Amino acid sequence: MSQYAHPEVLVDTQWLENHLKDPNVRIIEVDMSPEPYKDVHIPGAVFWNIFTDLLLPNLSINLDAKSFEKLMSRSGITNDTMVIAYGSYPGTGAWIFWLLKVFGHENVRVLNGGYQKWNSENRPVATELSTFPPVEYSAKAPDASLRVLHEEVQASIERSDRVLLDVRTLKEYTGEYFFDRSPTETERAGHIPGAVHIEHLLTLNEDGTFKSFNELQNLYNSKGITFDKEVFPYCAIGGRSGYTWFVLKYLLGYPNVRNYDGSWNEWSRLPQVEIQRYS
């Protein structure tokens, strides 16, 4: 991990096992359903539900500071707590890293390999639900420097100094799928004109860990996503693109990356914006 621009933002499974009882460490598991967590999870991990804890009913990310304070408080997280994030879906932990940084939480790390690697190594697991007494938490206003809004995305189309990076699946990019299924008559599928496509999963090894610095650099450079460009990743709802923001900014050290967290959920519903698709 020492090759990365900021290797300190990752912890490996051995480190986490050694710190399971550290009172200043809080482990967060994030998923779309609580059922896997209820079956088995890393000891001490608190569960966050993507749909009820992190998203609004319209599927945009909840960036209300008061809501975030309540979530952190009931999770037993103070402003000084070290948060270790992971999920059953690859890349979830890095999205949570972005979200916590948006609200100014400094002490956050990503579990390299997530639950996939933890489980494959037969490390300790628990079935009892983890709960902690509520604590005081104070969130900062959302950091606008970590986000890009749709007006600037639209203005960036065909600019040579900026890259719109679509990190969804190929079926989403081509317009065959709207999120995880075929689009209905009222849903607009495809991609932002000129967007480069690199699926976020291409950044991971088979065991769920991040690929090496050189492998990641070659992946992005091969598509013209170079260090000197300003990069705006997007996906369906801002999660996979938040993950890609983490990879580019913290693992590769790209200086100018902002997450378009509105992503396709917003873009596809905007009137009078262009959409490309392949038949």
Side-chain angles (χ1 to χ4, degrees):
M1 293 193 294
S2 60
Q3 284 185 306
Y4 299 132
H6 297 280
E8 71 280 0
V9 299
L10 295 176
V11 298
D12 59 28
T13 50
Q14 185 60 58
W15 185 96
L16 185 56
E17 183 172 352
N18 293 343
H19 290 80
L20 285 178
K21 296 184 179 180
D22 188 331
N24 192 48
V25 170
R26 185 71 68 245
I27 307 166
I28 302 297
E29 176 174 318
V30 182
D31 207 334
M32 293 183 286
S33 167
E35 298 311 314
Y37 171 84
K38 290 178 179 178
D39 289 338
V40 66
H41 52 268
I42 296 175
V46 175
F47 178 72
W48 286 2
N49 188 307
I50 289 177
F51 291 111
T52 58
D53 292 324
L54 304 178
L55 301 181
L56 297 172
N58 67 358
L59 298 185
S60 62
I61 298 173
N62 188 348
L63 294 176
D64 176 68
K66 291 299 181 184
S67 298
F68 182 76
E69 286 177 344
K70 291 178 181 178
L71 178 61
M72 298 291 270
S73 174
R74 72 167 171 81
S75 302
I77 299 172
T78 71
N79 287 80
D80 297 322
T81 302
M82 176 185 287
V83 176
I84 311 295
Y86 77 94
S88 61
Y89 185 76
T92 307
W95 168 39
I96 299 305
F97 183 101
W98 173 83
L99 184 63
L100 266 63
K101 288 293 185 180
V102 165
F103 288 107
H105 192 89
E106 293 299 327
N107 203 355
V108 54
R109 309 284 189 273
V110 175
L111 177 60
N112 196 12
Y115 186 75
Q116 175 185 341
K117 191 166 193 294
W118 183 275
N119 185 54
S120 71
E121 296 169 343
N122 294 314
R123 296 189 183 273
V125 293
T127 54
E128 66 275 7
L129 305 185
S130 304
T131 57
F132 296 92
V135 294
E136 289 291 322
Y137 190 89
S138 178
K140 294 181 180 179
D143 186 347
S145 72
L146 306 187
R147 308 175 60 211
V148 60
L149 305 182
H150 70 83
E151 295 91 349
E152 193 172 358
V153 171
Q154 188 168 6
S156 300
I157 295 173
E158 296 184 355
R159 278 187 53 167
S160 60
D161 59 336
R162 288 179 173 170
V163 180
L164 304 177
L165 176 56
D166 191 316
V167 304
R168 299 173 298 165
T169 64
L170 183 60
K171 286 185 175 182
E172 289 173 280
Y173 177 76
T174 60
E176 185 178 346
Y177 273 13
F178 184 89
F179 292 13
D180 60 350
R181 52 170 174 72
S182 299
T184 66
E185 291 183 1
T186 60
E187 293 171 335
R188 303 168 74 201
H191 59 270
I192 299 173
V196 177
H197 179 247
I198 301 179
E199 187 175 353
H200 83 293
L201 291 177
L202 294 176
T203 62
L204 295 171
N205 296 309
E206 287 187 11
D207 66 354
T209 58
F210 294 101
K211 289 184 176 179
S212 70
F213 178 93
N214 288 339
E215 288 173 313
L216 293 172
Q217 190 174 57
N218 290 338
L219 173 67
Y220 290 110
N221 286 351
S222 69
K223 293 292 189 77
I225 303 170
T226 50
F227 196 79
D228 58 310
K229 303 284 182 66
E230 190 166 16
V231 188
F232 299 155
Y234 74 92
C235 58
I237 60 173
R240 288 171 287 179
S241 53
Y243 163 92
T244 304
W245 170 90
F246 171 86
V247 172
L248 289 169
K249 189 173 184 67
Y250 281 86
L251 301 190
L252 293 180
Y254 278 51
N256 298 307
V257 188
R258 283 180 282 157
N259 181 21
Y260 176 32
D261 56 86
S263 282
W264 200 251
N265 182 51
E266 176 183 64
W267 187 268
S268 67
R269 294 177 170 88
L270 292 172
Q272 299 177 333
V273 299
E274 290 186 57
I275 286 176
Q276 276 186 332
R277 64 178 298 168
Y278 300 123
S279 56

